[in-house]
Amino acid sequence: MLTIDRVSRRFGEVTALEDVSLEIGQGEFFALLGPSGCGKTTLLRILAGFETPDSGTVTLDGADLLAKPPNKRPVNLMFQSYALFPHMTVAKNVAYGLEQEKLDRAEIRHRVGEVLETVGLSDLGGRKPHQLSGGQRQRVALARAIVKRPRLLLLDEPLSALDKKVRADMQLELKRLQHEVGITFVVVTHDQEEAMSLADRIAVFSAGRVCQVDEPVALYERPRTRFVADFVGANNLFEGVFTDGGVKTEAFGLLRGTGQATEGAAALLAVRPEKVRLDAGEGLAGTVADVSFYGGVSHVSVQVAGHPKPVLAAVQGASRVRPGEQVVLGWAPEDAVIINA
């Protein structure tokens, strides 16, 4: 439905986007994930019409989107701050865009009632924004965005203002809403968990470029670059040279894994913490440096001679090991990923 082809945007000497190409399907929940300053919000603003790229094209259903002014695009942007009108009721906030289109009053009433029911705010239509919780204000902003039935809904860090519990609830709510209304969602976030739980596919950005586009599970289990392996979730990275189907390291010899790299070239072996065993019969010997308990999971940091950073292992429940204990770390070769460095 949406095709972004070789889009670049520069601000003076700063390159915000460089040759970005993406294809987003009808009804897809698509996430732009990356650290602050990587260009993801600039791309969102280009789609909304608030920025013009220096080069490249953007088409929606085959038509040139860049040729249309912001108010003529079938696109809505939900701001990070929600940007609700404080002097208007919930119902008036939601109706505002429809009133600007001079729709019939009965039609406006019907569509506002329908969308407030969809977001679970039917009983709060008469309240002002200051009388609502953070989660409720976010629902109002969503209702206002979807009531105009855009082809594309852009969300800029939509859950960043919410606390952890409300954010988890709203992630489920967003996913339900997207399936229910059938609008294509493009969400910008720097929160990996948020992107993984919400999106059908994720584009990982770094320094204005797209590093990898994949479904959440593939992105997590098969990162293709060092940046993706390091940015998306926790990872243990071992540096060496690719040879004989593994990564040959100075400190630990040949470490086997899955994937290919250039023979004789610098390579990385990436192992997720949950794949690391603490009681391996043979492997890397180390000393437990720290144990952190997170309820369902414990993170165990192990200092291994010859490795610059502690190796992280994740174990279910409360860990039985204590700081200072000696352990032997190991993992199955199929659980380790080889990446070109």
Side-chain angles (χ1 to χ4, degrees):
M1 185 187 88
L2 182 73
T3 302
I4 299 160
D5 187 30
R6 304 197 62 166
V7 165
S8 295
R9 181 72 173 109
R10 293 171 187 83
F11 299 95
E13 293 183 2
V14 177
T15 300
L17 294 170
E18 188 165 359
D19 275 347
V20 169
S21 295
L22 292 169
E23 289 188 347
I24 299 171
Q26 168 65 41
E28 193 170 19
F29 203 130
F30 196 91
L32 309 178
L33 173 67
S36 298
C38 70
K40 54 193 189 299
T41 298
T42 300
L43 181 58
L44 210 67
R45 289 174 61 81
I46 287 171
L47 298 179
F50 303 142
E51 293 284 351
T52 304
D54 298 314
S55 60
T57 61
V58 180
T59 57
L60 185 68
D61 293 327
D64 183 8
L65 189 67
L66 301 178
K68 296 181 180 179
N71 61 319
K72 299 294 184 187
R73 297 184 184 191
V75 175
N76 252 351
L77 172 61
M78 187 181 127
F79 294 98
Q80 189 173 350
S81 62
Y82 309 151
L84 301 177
F85 299 117
H87 61 289
M88 291 185 186
T89 63
V90 166
K92 275 285 189 184
N93 262 285
V94 175
Y96 183 79
L98 301 178
E99 289 171 352
Q100 298 308 300
E101 292 181 359
K102 306 285 193 293
L103 290 189
D104 178 76
R105 284 188 179 182
E107 170 73 2
I108 292 174
R109 256 197 318 274
H110 170 70
R111 279 170 67 171
V112 169
E114 199 175 56
V115 81
L116 286 180
E117 189 174 336
T118 301
V119 299
L121 293 176
S122 297
D123 301 335
L124 304 179
R127 291 194 185 180
K128 299 278 181 70
H130 73 270
Q131 297 172 304
L132 305 175
S133 68
Q136 288 168 337
R137 282 197 292 272
Q138 200 238 20
R139 288 171 196 233
V140 177
L142 260 177
R144 188 178 62 182
I146 64 176
V147 76
K148 290 184 68 176
R149 298 170 184 167
R151 297 294 317 283
L152 185 65
L153 179 59
L154 311 174
L155 302 103
D156 187 9
E157 303 275 5
L159 309 180
S160 62
L162 306 177
D163 64 51
K164 193 178 174 79
K165 176 73 171 72
V166 177
R167 190 184 300 144
D169 291 341
M170 285 309 300
Q171 283 174 0
L172 294 173
E173 189 71 13
L174 265 180
K175 194 75 174 166
R176 179 191 69 79
L177 248 175
Q178 195 262 342
H179 281 301
E180 201 167 291
V181 299
I183 296 169
T184 301
F185 279 28
V186 178
V187 61
V188 157
T189 181
H190 61 266
D191 186 323
Q192 300 113 22
E193 286 185 13
E194 189 168 291
M196 304 281 273
S197 65
L198 287 174
D200 299 314
R201 286 192 304 144
I202 301 169
V204 181
F205 278 68
S206 174
R209 290 175 175 270
V210 177
C211 298
Q212 185 173 341
V213 182
D214 244 321
E215 293 177 2
V217 173
L219 193 72
Y220 185 82
E221 292 187 347
R222 291 287 175 265
R224 293 190 210 128
T225 69
R226 182 189 195 115
F227 178 80
V228 174
D230 206 24
F231 185 74
V232 180
N235 227 330
N236 298 299
L237 302 176
F238 298 88
E239 297 185 1
V241 173
F242 183 74
T243 183
D244 195 25
V247 175
K248 189 174 184 181
T249 65
E250 283 188 18
F252 316 115
L254 187 67
L255 300 177
R256 297 204 174 274
T258 60
Q260 287 294 314
T262 308
E263 187 70 30
L268 297 168
L269 188 89
V271 191
R272 294 290 182 186
E274 62 272 19
K275 304 296 186 184
V276 177
R277 298 194 314 273
L278 292 173
D279 53 356
E282 57 180 41
L284 312 185
T287 306
V288 176
D290 184 57
V291 179
S292 304
F293 180 56
Y294 293 95
V297 177
S298 292
H299 286 178
V300 182
S301 293
V302 180
Q303 208 75 50
V304 176
H307 195 58
K309 292 170 67 175
V311 176
L312 188 64
V315 297
Q316 289 297 313
S319 174
R320 295 178 182 176
V321 299
R322 295 287 177 265
E325 288 185 28
Q326 300 297 305
V327 291
V328 177
L329 306 178
W331 53 83
E334 60 268 23
D335 290 335
V337 182
I338 296 168
I339 303 166
N340 256 323

